[in-house]
Amino acid sequence: MYSVLAELRLENFSTLLFTQSAGGIVNAFKRLFERDLLDMGGQVTVAKFAARRDLVKATLKSQLPQPLSSSRSFANPEAPRLRCFSAQLGACAICGQPLDPSRLHDGTYAHLDHRVAWARGGRTTAENAQLVHAGCNLSKGAGGGSAFPRGEG
């Protein structure tokens, strides 16, 4: 079972996804046990073990949302920058101070940040993007923006 979990983590299924899906996972395994689908019956062979392992992995995957992107970078950052700037009324999502519209594409000045931190299972999507000062983003780290009241992560 541990090797299956490790493989799924390598496929970018986050711990948060497992936690959020715990009820469905428990019910799916309950159904497998009720139908004796995990019983290897008789002598344990490599083929039986592999089949059981594949069944466990497929059962887990069937209860989880699609894996997170393995990338923390936004694919096309130009459109989300402008959308965020407009939606945030030109203010940094962390400190609330104005952003200079002429410097939005300067990576040393402004960053596209994850509202829900990537480290906490936040997806790299335009919907999870926020525009922030580079200094604000770098000072908060992956743990979230608790030092900054406007930031969520």
Side-chain angles (χ1 to χ4, degrees), residues 20 22 39 49 56 60 122 129 136 148 153:
Q20 292 172 339
D39 182 16
F49 184 82
V56 166
L60 282 170
C136 293
F148 303 100

Side-chain angles (χ1 to χ4, degrees), residues 5-139:
L5 292 173
E7 281 182 26
L8 291 174
R9 287 289 294 131
L10 289 175
E11 293 177 24
N12 296 315
F13 285 96
S14 74
T15 305
L16 180 62
L17 292 179
F18 282 99
T19 304
Q20 292 172 339
S21 305
I25 291 170
V26 168
N27 288 333
F29 276 97
K30 183 179 176 186
R31 288 189 298 274
L32 289 178
F33 280 111
E34 287 170 351
R35 296 179 186 144
D36 288 328
L37 294 176
L38 294 177
D39 182 16
M40 286 196 263
Q43 184 179 4
V44 177
T45 65
V46 172
K48 285 183 182 178
F49 184 82
R52 179 178 169 192
R53 186 177 171 288
D54 291 345
L55 178 61
V56 166
K57 186 173 181 179
T59 301
L60 282 170
K61 285 178 89 168
S62 73
Q63 298 302 312
L64 297 170
Q66 288 300 306
L68 301 174
S69 167
S70 61
S71 173
R72 292 179 63 164
S73 299
F74 292 90
N76 178 7
E78 304 311 313
R81 281 179 192 271
L82 297 174
R83 185 188 57 77
C84 289
F85 181 78
S86 176
Q88 295 169 207
L89 304 175
C92 171
I94 294 175
C95 72
Q97 295 299 309
L99 290 159
D100 180 351
S102 68
R103 298 183 66 196
L104 294 182
H105 304 293
D106 175 357
T108 63
Y109 175 75
H111 286 177
L112 263 181
D113 183 34
H114 293 80
R115 289 182 188 279
V116 176
W118 188 83
R120 292 182 181 171
R123 295 178 183 261
T124 304
T125 62
E127 296 76 27
N128 191 36
Q130 61 184 2
L131 195 58
V132 299
H133 290 113
C136 293
N137 189 34
L138 296 174
S139 65

